[in-house]
Amino acid sequence: MSRLGSIYASVYNSLCGVHPRLYPWHFQWLAAKYIYADLKETLPSFHGKVLDVGCGDKPYQIWLSENVQHIGIDVYEGEFVDHIVKHDEAWPIETASMENVICTQVLEHVQDVDEVLNEIYRVLVPGGEVLITAPFIYQEHGAPNDFRRFSYYGVLSLLSNRFEVIQVNKQGGIGSTLGLLLLSWMETESNMNFPLKILKGMFFPVWLLFSAIVNIVAIFMDKIDVTDCYYNNVSILARKK
């Protein structure tokens, strides 16, 4: 990233927040709003040993109880990654040793979903719970490791033969789906060449105001959307049988 790009990113993050605390004028606020809501509701009830699959910087630790043992695995090294895992290899986690598992926005990036779900099942204690979130309508990201999307019925089909499904949520509606795609497209498009980057910097306050308006209108549209089929993400809470 260039020096100007670093300055822009620093100013943007200070004004718009960083994951998992984004403000409503952040261009990715809609993509995260409903995910955060489900995590905030569910994670405080997790206890004992909690395995975070694809943990990154463990951003969701802020919503876990202080008494849990938060263990993170990922395919990349990082300050907060406790174990590096590889495709086609068993995770370095003991069988039936985890009370809970978190797997947020990860399954679309793994080559073998069954392998990951089998490992989640293996490491959970009997009766242990897993919270999974995954995109249904979202742009390509994390290329080239972006392999699939998940519908409500898709995640049910994947988990119902291994787990007792407790709850499945369709996250978002027509407003947030259109809004997050529009803002993400504009952000990506504006970074495609140097003149567009300069233009975005010149109209920085306008960009924040426009993002806020789109986000507010999108939430209103979600509230009046009764179709139940234009959601952009799914979350599922399930228990090991």
Side-chain angles (χ1 to χ4, degrees):
M1 183 182 292
S2 67
R3 180 172 176 80
L4 282 177
S6 297
I7 293 173
Y8 178 90
S10 178
V11 172
Y12 190 88
N13 290 340
S14 65
L15 293 176
C16 302
V18 294
H19 176 59
R21 292 188 176 97
L22 304 182
Y23 301 134
W25 42 94
H26 195 293
F27 78 95
Q28 288 187 316
W29 182 74
L30 289 170
K33 178 183 185 298
Y34 295 104
I35 299 173
Y36 291 170
D38 278 1
L39 292 173
K40 288 178 183 179
E41 180 180 347
T42 303
L43 293 187
S45 67
F46 282 10
H47 62 283
K49 291 184 178 180
V50 178
L51 181 65
D52 194 339
V53 180
C55 65
D57 295 333
K58 291 184 179 176
Y60 307 122
Q61 185 166 328
I62 60 173
W63 298 318
L64 288 167
S65 167
E66 294 181 356
N67 299 321
V68 306
Q69 184 177 348
H70 187 191
I71 300 168
I73 63 173
D74 210 314
V75 295
Y76 302 108
E77 293 183 0
E79 179 183 356
F80 299 95
V81 178
D82 299 297
H83 301 284
I84 302 294
V85 298
K86 296 181 180 180
H87 177 58
D88 287 335
E89 292 185 8
W91 296 347
I93 307 293
E94 292 184 10
T95 298
S97 61
M98 297 289 152
E99 278 75 25
N100 298 101
V101 173
I102 310 168
C103 184
T104 61
Q105 309 304 101
V106 170
L107 293 184
E108 71 270 26
H109 298 297
V110 301
Q111 294 182 1
D112 191 336
V113 174
D114 282 337
E115 175 188 331
V116 172
L117 293 178
N118 285 337
E119 282 297 281
I120 289 175
Y121 184 88
R122 180 183 67 81
V123 303
L124 274 173
V125 300
E129 295 180 357
V130 55
L131 176 64
I132 294 174
T133 71
F136 174 49
I137 302 176
Y138 197 67
Q139 76 270 13
E140 183 182 278
H141 61 288
N145 298 312
D146 188 2
F147 303 112
R148 63 191 63 83
R149 296 292 180 267
F150 298 88
S151 70
Y152 172 93
Y153 301 102
V155 294
L156 276 179
S157 176
L158 279 175
L159 270 72
S160 58
N161 62 336
R162 299 176 178 88
F163 300 88
E164 172 194 353
V165 175
I166 301 171
Q167 184 177 0
V168 186
N169 290 334
K170 298 178 180 180
Q171 298 177 327
I174 186 63
S176 56
T177 297
L178 292 176
L180 70 87
L181 291 177
L182 171 64
L183 293 178
S184 184
W185 172 78
M186 293 180 68
E187 173 69 13
T188 303
E189 188 76 11
S190 67
N191 289 323
M192 295 303 291
N193 58 62
F194 186 72
L196 286 176
K197 291 180 182 179
I198 295 298
L199 192 64
K200 182 174 70 171
M202 292 173 59
F203 289 93
F204 181 72
V206 176
W207 171 231
L208 298 190
L209 178 60
F210 179 76
S211 297
I213 292 172
V214 169
N215 289 337
I216 293 171
V217 172
I219 294 303
F220 173 76
M221 291 178 65
D222 279 358
K223 291 183 180 299
I224 63 174
D225 178 13
V226 296
T227 63
D228 204 31
C229 59
Y230 290 95
Y231 54 99
N232 48 73
N233 214 73
V234 290
S235 73
I236 183 167
L237 181 65
R239 180 181 295 120
K240 180 176 178 178
K241 294 179 181 178

